[in-house]
Amino acid sequence: MIEFLELTIDTNTSRVTNRESEHREFKAVFDSNSIWKYAKTMVSFANKNGGVIFFGIKDNPKEIIGFNENLPDQLVIANFLNECFEPEIHFSMDTKIYGGKTVLYVLVNPSNSKPVICKKNKTERLIEKGKSDNVLLREGAIYYRYSTSTVEIKFPELSRILEDRVQRVFRSLVDNITLLNKVGYEKAAIVDAEDLSGNDKVTSVYITTETAKNINWIQKGRFSETPDSVDKAYYVTRQIEIKQGVEIEKPVDPSRTHTLTKTALTKEVKINNYINAVLWKLGILDNETYHMPIHHGKSILHKFTVSAKERILTNYPLDMLGRKEIINKVCEEYNESQRK
């Protein structure tokens, strides 16, 4: 996620050479009346692979003007998101210096429970007679990021999200059954881990009646078999330490995570003969976040993520002045390193 904050600045013009993309959007100012619009973009990022909105950068031309206003209240944005969308999305908001000027950014994490869905309508009342209200947010809509646009999701992307969700549930069940087998079915309990992420760190532990009979850290009380019981079920007399039962290695499916072949990546970044030099210079081949080699017999197929493309275009944007000459120098460095 931190790579989304990387911007290339032309120091002479204070202009950003990066473009808006599926992970990046520029805004000149923050308008408190447009929170619905920012929320819509944030949700579209969450439904994809995350992204960032920069405030204090004009889009056309992409010039840094700085953010000189009072910082918006992060809680107001969070409350709006929780009011209109479900499940909750996670984001961070802060300022950063670019080209000597302060810029506000809102960095959105990809959701772990996609899709994030709009749960209520937001409309703008129009004064003109004969015109219906303008729908800002539509109940039931799933907003998704396509290139530089935020729109309602299309069938292929929604189908893929739903398929991934089913696969995550299946993998979670397999992982938990593996843990149960490791600990022992007759000794296992279930903890509501989501509640432990809160500040009070109080949660519920669920155990069967047979397992409860062998627990000696319950001093007194009784176990309720109905959820509406008002009596306290038990008193804990020992400190409980939560341990990880077993480390389960999760296989990576490069067809889903690393979608670009080397040829496709070369076309996307428009670097033909010197792609190996650029990959070497940026350390992309040594980082699984960007690259994964797949062995087919004696041959190797190199697969890359969209983040690899973003990293290359961040460092060598298509409209960079003297781009060809800069890449030529990188190629010379690469050739020299190969001779050593």
Side-chain angles (χ1 to χ4, degrees):
M1 290 296 298
I2 196 67
E3 65 268 18
F4 294 156
L5 297 178
E6 296 178 3
L7 293 178
T8 304
I9 313 297
D10 186 328
T11 55
N12 294 323
T13 62
S14 292
R15 291 185 179 178
V16 179
T17 58
N18 309 85
R19 300 174 182 271
E20 285 194 328
S21 69
E22 61 188 23
H23 303 298
R24 186 189 303 116
E25 187 159 305
F26 300 127
K27 299 291 182 185
V29 296
F30 183 94
D31 181 2
S32 58
N33 294 320
S34 297
I35 288 181
W36 67 270
K37 188 180 298 183
Y38 308 144
K40 191 174 177 179
T41 301
M42 292 168 67
V43 169
S44 74
F45 286 150
N47 275 329
K48 200 164 189 182
N49 300 315
V52 59
I53 308 176
F54 293 98
F55 295 93
I57 301 177
K58 290 197 302 183
D59 180 33
N60 192 16
K62 294 184 287 294
E63 179 183 352
I64 302 176
I65 59 176
F67 188 85
N68 301 315
E69 312 160 44
N70 293 327
L71 291 179
D73 190 338
Q74 185 168 341
L75 184 59
V76 171
I77 299 175
N79 287 341
F80 184 91
L81 287 166
N82 291 335
E83 176 191 353
C84 297
F85 297 94
E86 195 172 289
E88 179 182 5
I89 71 169
H90 299 282
F91 70 96
S92 58
M93 187 169 67
D94 206 345
T95 58
K96 190 172 179 179
I97 304 297
Y98 295 97
K101 296 182 180 180
T102 300
V103 171
L104 171 71
Y105 68 82
V106 178
L107 184 64
V108 182
N109 295 325
S111 174
N112 292 324
S113 302
K114 300 172 186 175
V116 180
I117 304 174
C118 183
K119 61 183 180 180
K120 65 183 298 185
N121 285 329
K122 280 286 182 183
T123 58
E124 178 184 45
R125 186 170 297 279
L126 299 178
I127 300 176
E128 298 179 45
K129 292 184 178 180
K131 289 192 175 182
S132 57
D133 293 344
N134 185 25
V135 178
L136 306 178
L137 299 174
R138 187 182 67 81
E139 180 181 3
I142 300 172
Y143 299 109
Y144 195 77
R145 189 72 173 180
Y146 293 94
S147 185
T148 61
S149 301
T150 294
V151 297
E152 291 193 29
I153 197 167
K154 299 174 184 176
F155 175 76
E157 288 73 30
L158 178 58
S159 178
R160 185 165 60 247
I161 285 177
L162 296 178
E163 182 181 345
D164 289 344
R165 187 167 185 165
V166 171
Q167 290 298 321
R168 285 199 307 272
V169 171
F170 177 76
R171 288 194 297 268
S172 179
L173 287 173
V174 172
D175 290 351
N176 280 288
I177 290 172
T178 304
L179 289 172
L180 285 170
N181 187 54
K182 178 76 174 180
V183 174
Y185 296 100
E186 73 286 355
K187 298 183 292 182
I190 297 174
V191 176
D192 188 339
E194 184 175 5
D195 287 348
L196 278 178
S197 63
N199 293 329
D200 53 4
K201 303 219 176 148
V202 174
T203 190
S204 300
V205 178
Y206 301 91
I207 53 178
T208 65
T209 302
E210 289 301 313
T211 302
K213 293 177 182 179
N214 299 318
I215 295 179
N216 60 9
W217 44 265
I218 296 178
Q219 186 179 40
K220 61 181 179 178
R222 68 180 181 82
F223 286 90
S224 173
E225 296 183 359
T226 59
D228 56 350
S229 174
V230 296
D231 294 341
K232 197 166 191 174
Y234 53 81
Y235 293 89
V236 177
T237 60
R238 292 188 188 178
Q239 182 178 1
I240 307 301
E241 180 182 2
I242 296 179
K243 294 184 177 180
Q244 186 176 4
V246 61
E247 182 67 26
I248 300 173
E249 183 177 354
K250 294 178 171 56
V252 176
D253 183 358
S255 66
R256 293 183 179 276
T257 58
H258 297 62
T259 56
L260 297 173
T261 64
K262 193 173 184 180
T263 301
L265 177 66
T266 300
K267 290 181 179 178
E268 292 278 351
V269 300
K270 293 183 170 36
I271 300 174
N272 296 323
N273 299 328
Y274 306 134
I275 189 65
N276 288 333
V278 171
L279 295 174
W280 165 81
K281 181 70 173 179
L282 299 179
I284 288 176
L285 295 178
D286 301 323
N287 190 332
E288 285 191 2
T289 302
Y290 305 119
H291 166 255
M292 181 175 292
I294 302 174
H295 297 270
H296 290 282
K298 294 182 179 180
S299 62
I300 299 177
L301 176 63
H302 295 276
K303 297 296 291 291
F304 299 87
T305 62
V306 173
S307 295
K309 179 189 77 173
E310 289 283 336
R311 180 164 173 77
I312 293 173
L313 291 178
T314 295
N315 286 272
Y316 307 101
L318 298 178
D319 54 359
M320 172 186 274
L321 294 176
R323 185 176 192 255
K324 185 175 180 180
E325 291 73 17
I326 292 171
I327 293 176
N328 281 339
K329 290 182 180 179
V330 171
C331 185
E332 291 174 4
E333 292 180 34
Y334 171 71
N335 291 334
E336 182 63 27
S337 70
Q338 299 303 300
R339 285 193 287 266
K340 292 180 180 179

